[in-house]
């Protein structure tokens, strides 16, 4: 842990931020899923990429995600200060000045995109740039403070990694990476709203228009179920379009059936006490496992049947 | 700034300098490896 800051009369700390706080800005734990889906896109793509270049591509995806997370926290420092879950982040806790975070985020963005372009190809670099810009400008600045549907469109930012991984190998974007993009895109609402159901008090305190805050829990539960149904179609699309074989097909069928069961339980419940939201927490945890399972299955399937 | 604050600043600057140095060293190795991979036709 970084030590407590020595504060000037204004809000900026007098001593330079600890390097660990720069790492914390990149949200390393959230990055896991981004790196994994990017790696799966890269491994499922036809063709070969030198291991060093493949490693660099994944590193760039991770750095790009870290840059986007940093710029998100730079912009939302005031909001983060109002939420228990985020109040101890480097900026709201006063361990770092905002300008350092901005410079770090912008620098990391340019570095990740340029390195991706140099090491692999400029299509992958362009998609990485679009994903960072989308997360910062479309999600963080535009949608998140304005609409309860923020994460529906904003979730697209998290759906880019498999497309970037694929493009890094092939230099193009074909049907399978688009299908994987759609899977993450429609997976995001039930995943995130399950979380928002049991941490809604935090979002309410910060004035963020999350669906449970604006429209209530009944609507949120209905929307979770609605997007789960669309996600199920997206999950089965690679099989129906013959882009993958029976390994992915079996994993998608069983995994999605369990997802739908958990989502249906959440849909049917009427519980507003976060302490008694075991099914909602189960859906949230399972949704992470589900994405790991399906993306792992895509890679195994492509390696076995390609 | 008190001597204690000054000591904290120096310690913080030192740890940041070490991390920056390690990162630059890692980047030198990475760019060398990328160059070798590129000239060996690994793309």
């Amino acid at each position: 842990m970084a030590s407590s800051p020595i504060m000037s009369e204004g809000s900026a700390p007098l001593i330079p931020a600890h390097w660990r706080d720069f790492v914390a800005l990149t949200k390393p734990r959230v990055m896991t899923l981004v790196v994994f889906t990017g790696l799966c896109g890269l491994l499922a793509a036809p063709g070969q990429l030198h291991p060093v270049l493949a490693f660099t591509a994944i590193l760039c995806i991770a750095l790009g995600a870290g840059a986007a997370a940093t710029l998100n926290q730079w912009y939302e420092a005031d909001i983060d200060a109002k939420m228990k879950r985020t109040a101890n982040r480097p900026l709201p806790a006063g361990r770092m000045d905002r300008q350092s975070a901005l410079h770090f985020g912008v620098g990391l963005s340019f570095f990740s995109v340029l390195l991706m372009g140099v090491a692999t190809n400029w299509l992958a670099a362009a998609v990485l740039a679009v994903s960072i810009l989308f997360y910062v400008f479309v999600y963080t600045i535009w949608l998140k403070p304005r609409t309860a549907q923020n994460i529906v469109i904003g979730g697209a930012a998290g759906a880019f990694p498999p497309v970037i991984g694929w493009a890094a190998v092939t230099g193009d974007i074909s049907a399978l990476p688009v299908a994987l993009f759609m899977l993450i895109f429609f997976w995001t609402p039930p995943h995130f709203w399950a979380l928002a159901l049991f941490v809604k008090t935090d979002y309410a305190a910060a004035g963020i228009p999350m669906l449970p805050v604006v429209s209530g829990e009944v609507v949120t539960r209905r929307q979770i179920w609605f997007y789960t149904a669309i996600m199920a179609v997206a999950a089965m699309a690679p099989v129906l379009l013959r882009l993958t074989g029976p390994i992915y097909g079996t994993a998608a069928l069983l995994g999605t059936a369990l997802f739908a069961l958990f989502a249906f339980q959440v849909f049917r419940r009427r519980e507003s006490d976060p302490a008694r939201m075991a099914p909602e927490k189960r859906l949230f945890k399972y949704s992470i496992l589900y994405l790991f399972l399906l993306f792992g299955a895509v890679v195994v399937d492509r390696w076995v049947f390609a | 700034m008190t001597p204690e604050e000054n000591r904290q600043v120096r310690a913080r600057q030192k740890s940041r300098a070490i991390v920056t140095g390690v990162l630059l060293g890692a980047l030198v190795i990475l760019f060398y490896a990328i160059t070798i991979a590129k000239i060996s036709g690994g793309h």
Side-chain angles (χ1 to χ4, degrees):
Chain A
M1 285 293 289
S3 58
S4 61
I6 300 166
M7 304 298 286
S8 64
E9 285 181 13
S11 60
L14 279 172
I15 62 171
H18 199 285
W19 63 268
R20 285 196 187 91
D21 284 326
F22 285 97
V23 176
L25 280 181
T26 63
K27 296 188 192 170
R29 284 178 63 195
V30 178
M31 214 186 277
T32 314
L33 209 59
V34 170
V35 167
F36 182 75
T37 55
L39 179 65
C40 289
L42 188 143
L43 294 175
Q48 283 192 327
L49 193 62
H50 192 288
V52 170
L53 304 182
F55 168 79
T56 308
I58 298 303
L59 178 69
C60 289
I61 292 174
L63 294 179
T70 299
L71 293 171
N72 170 278
Q73 286 174 75
W74 163 76
Y75 188 77
E76 293 186 341
D78 298 341
I79 296 168
D80 284 348
K82 295 174 187 163
M83 298 203 290
K84 193 174 68 179
R85 188 171 63 86
T86 54
N88 197 37
R89 284 177 178 173
L91 291 174
R95 296 195 302 273
M96 184 188 290
D97 64 298
R98 287 184 75 171
Q99 197 178 42
S100 295
L102 176 63
H103 290 174
F104 180 62
V106 172
L108 206 55
S109 301
F110 275 98
F111 179 74
S112 62
V113 170
L114 291 175
L115 183 58
M116 179 69 95
V118 169
T120 62
N121 59 71
W122 292 100
L123 176 67
V127 182
L128 179 62
V130 167
S131 71
I132 297 169
L133 293 171
F134 194 92
Y135 188 76
V136 175
F137 289 100
V138 177
Y139 174 64
T140 301
I141 296 178
W142 182 35
L143 292 174
K144 193 172 176 182
R146 284 179 178 80
T147 168
Q149 295 291 317
N150 45 23
I151 55 104
V152 176
I153 306 297
F160 280 111
V163 181
I164 300 168
W166 182 285
V169 177
T170 63
D172 63 20
I173 297 168
S174 57
L176 184 55
V178 172
L180 297 177
F181 176 96
M182 298 308 282
L183 172 59
I184 302 179
F185 184 71
F186 289 115
W187 165 89
T188 306
H191 164 76
F192 204 82
W193 282 333
L195 174 73
L197 274 174
F198 58 86
V199 294
K200 69 176 170 47
T201 46
D202 261 348
Y203 287 119
I208 294 289
M210 280 299 158
L211 197 62
V213 179
V214 175
S215 306
E217 283 173 24
V218 176
V219 172
T220 305
R221 291 169 188 280
R222 198 185 306 142
Q223 292 276 307
I224 285 174
W225 179 236
F226 173 72
Y227 279 101
T228 298
I230 303 177
M231 184 204 72
V233 176
M236 297 313 296
V239 187
L240 300 173
L241 296 171
R242 297 180 184 277
L243 301 170
T244 54
I247 293 176
Y248 173 82
T250 307
L253 194 64
L254 297 177
T256 307
L258 197 56
F259 195 114
L261 176 69
F262 290 160
F264 188 69
Q265 288 172 344
V266 169
F267 167 60
R268 290 286 301 272
R269 277 165 58 85
R270 296 289 179 269
E271 176 61 64
S272 55
D273 180 6
R276 296 171 63 186
M277 287 201 183
E280 290 77 7
K281 289 172 185 170
R282 184 174 58 197
L283 175 62
F284 175 72
K285 285 178 185 168
Y286 176 72
S287 67
I288 298 168
L289 177 68
Y290 171 80
L291 212 61
F292 272 104
L293 174 76
L294 261 62
F295 272 80
V298 168
V299 175
V300 174
D301 192 291
R302 295 279 297 181
W303 280 9
V304 172
F305 295 106
Chain B
M1 205 180 271
T2 65
E4 174 57 21
E5 287 171 350
N6 201 37
R7 192 197 60 75
Q8 276 196 40
V9 170
R10 292 278 177 242
R12 193 63 60 86
Q13 285 173 333
K14 187 179 177 185
S15 72
R16 280 173 56 149
I18 290 169
V19 171
T20 306
V22 169
L23 285 178
L24 284 174
L27 279 178
V28 168
I29 295 168
L30 180 65
F31 276 96
Y32 174 74
I34 290 172
T35 307
I36 297 297
K38 284 277 188 185
I39 60 177
S40 65
H43 55 87

